[in-house]
Amino acid sequence: MEANKIWRELDPEVEALLKDPALLYRVKCELDRFIVGEDKNKLLLFLICASSYTKFPLSAIITGESSSGKSWLMNNVLRFFDNVEEYTRITPSAPDRLGADFTNRILKVEELKGTEQAQATLRVWISEGKLRLLTTSTDTREAEVIETLGVPTFITTCSEVNVDTELLNRVFFLSIDESREQTRKILEFEAKEYGILGIENEKDIDPIFKRMFQPLMFIDKVIIPYADILAKHFPIPEGKEFEVKPRRDFKKLLYLIGVVAWIHQMQRIIVQEEVIPKSRYVVASPVDFLIAWRICEEGIKSTLLNLSLRHKTVLEAFNEELELTAREVSEKTGYSQNRARELLNGLVRLGYLYRREEEKPYKYGLK
C-alpha cells in the first residue's frame, strides 16, 4: 500500500522520525533531558499517554513517597501531549455532569486523593466509556439526560500505600524509584540544571515529538496475530484471590502492544479491508511484544499481585522462619515505623502476611 495514500502529506522530519527503527530510543533521549533515571516508568507513561490517541486508551497511577518525584515524572511526560485536561480535584457529581466528549483526551488529576469521592464514578467511566445521568433540570424542573462520552486516559499520582483495588483493575500501577542511587542521580541532575540561579531554567521539548502523533491517527486498529500464544503463556498467580486478575491485566498488555505497534505503524505491515468504508489495520510484530513486555513487566507484576515497590521492599525483609515487628521492619527497610506498620497491615489485608496480636508489639510473618 502506497504511503501517500495512507498518511497523505508528511513533514519530512516527522516522517524520518516515525520510520526510524530507534524511534522509542529517540523518545527516551528526549525524555532524558527532563527526567533523570526512571527509564521504564517514563517510557511506559509516554506510551500510556500516547494511547489516548487510539481506540484502546490506557491509564496510570504513579505511586511513591512524598517528594519522591511522582509529579515531576507525570508533568514532564505530559508536556509531550497537547490533549490534556488538567484538574486538581473532582467532586462526586462532576463526571456525571460534564456532558462532554473525552475521546482522545488525557484526564490529569494532580493527586488521587483529589478524586476520592468521585472514584466510583471514575471507575465506571474508564471501564464503560460513557456516563449517562438522568436528572432534573434546575431551570425547567423537567427530567433531562446528561451524557459524558469517551474513555479518557486517566493519569494521577498517589502517596498512599493502599490504593483502591477496583481502580487498579483499570490502570497501570507505576512505582517511583526511591533508591539512594536514584536520589544521587537527581541531585547531580539538579546541580547541572540549577547551578546558576536567577536564569530561565525551563527547557522546551523538541516540537517534532508533539507533531509525531497527528499522521498516525489515519489508522486506529491493530491486529495482534500472536495474541492466542500470549494467552497460553500469560502468568496466572496462585491463590483464589489472584487467579482472576489476569483477566483484566492481559488486556492491558494487549493494549500496550497495540500502542507500540501503532506508533511504529510506518515500519509495520498495513492491511486494508476491501469493504466500504475501508478499514486499515497495523499488524503488530513480535518485536512490539518484546518492547511492550520489557517496559511494562514490573507494572504488570505489581497490578497482578496488588503490590507496589514499597510492599515488595517490606516482603523482602521476611523469610519463612522469621517474624518481625513494625519497628524491626522499619530498621530493615528504612521506612518510618508508622509507614512500615501501614505497609504491613496492607500486606495482611492482601493475604501475604499474618499478624499475631497475643501481645504487643504485634508480630508479622509470611503466610
Side-chain angles (χ1 to χ4, degrees), residues 39-66:
D39 289 348
K40 289 185 178 181
N41 275 340
K42 63 194 178 192
L43 270 176
L44 178 54
L45 189 58
F46 179 87
L47 290 170
I48 289 168
C49 292
S51 76
S52 65
Y53 293 117
T54 73
K55 289 188 174 179
F56 34 93
L58 293 160
S59 294
I61 297 174
I62 308 163
T63 181
E65 294 292 326
S66 178

Side-chain angles (χ1 to χ4, degrees), residues 101-154:
D101 189 345
F102 268 71
T103 302
N104 301 136
R105 309 300 293 173
I106 297 172
L107 174 63
K108 173 207 166 183
V109 182
E110 192 63 38
E111 290 190 3
L112 184 62
K113 194 175 287 187
T115 70
E116 198 164 24
Q117 295 176 314
Q119 281 185 29
T121 311
L122 277 172
R123 288 197 298 268
V124 175
W125 186 10
I126 293 170
S127 178
E128 303 302 325
K130 68 178 180 179
L131 296 170
R132 186 176 171 85
L133 175 68
L134 178 62
T135 186
T136 304
S137 169
T138 54
D139 297 326
T140 65
R141 300 296 180 185
E142 294 179 358
E144 64 174 352
V145 175
I146 302 175
E147 283 191 305
T148 300
L149 301 174
V151 180
T153 288
F154 177 56

